[in-house]
Amino acid sequence: MANDRLRSLEEVEKEIGVVLQCAGNIILELSKEKHNASLLDRQLSQFTGCVSRVESELSGQIRYLTQVATGQPHEGSTYSARKDCQMALNRVEYARLKLGELGQTCERLLDPLTQ
């Protein structure tokens, strides 16, 4: 079970790499005088798909950790675990917002190309 979760996180890490690569490709293409609209559309589609998968998987991991941290008998305080979980949720939310802003920027830049 733990190995499966670690493998899932490794896949998330790869997906984040793909997200960054797509964002870089989009920015590179937009920096050219003449844009390739079909390439931009493919990259944007891949970008948004990867962001959705990353968000979904990380949310699932956080839900699992929340259940495990609060549902298991233990000794001592749970303050540290709750704090870590809340910080992880904050980081996920921040990453989601920033990726959403990047996606919106890309869509705004692509909008004149489709008209």
Side-chain angles (χ1 to χ4, degrees), residues 12-45:
V12 167
E13 185 177 16
K14 290 176 187 174
E15 289 280 340
I16 290 171
V18 173
V19 165
L20 294 174
Q21 185 178 13
C22 289
N25 290 341
I26 289 170
I27 291 169
L28 180 65
E29 188 63 30
L30 289 173
S31 69
K32 296 178 181 177
E33 270 188 49
K34 203 165 200 178
H35 308 297
N36 182 341
S38 65
L39 174 66
L40 286 170
D41 286 340
R42 283 193 312 270
Q43 289 293 314
L44 182 58
S45 176

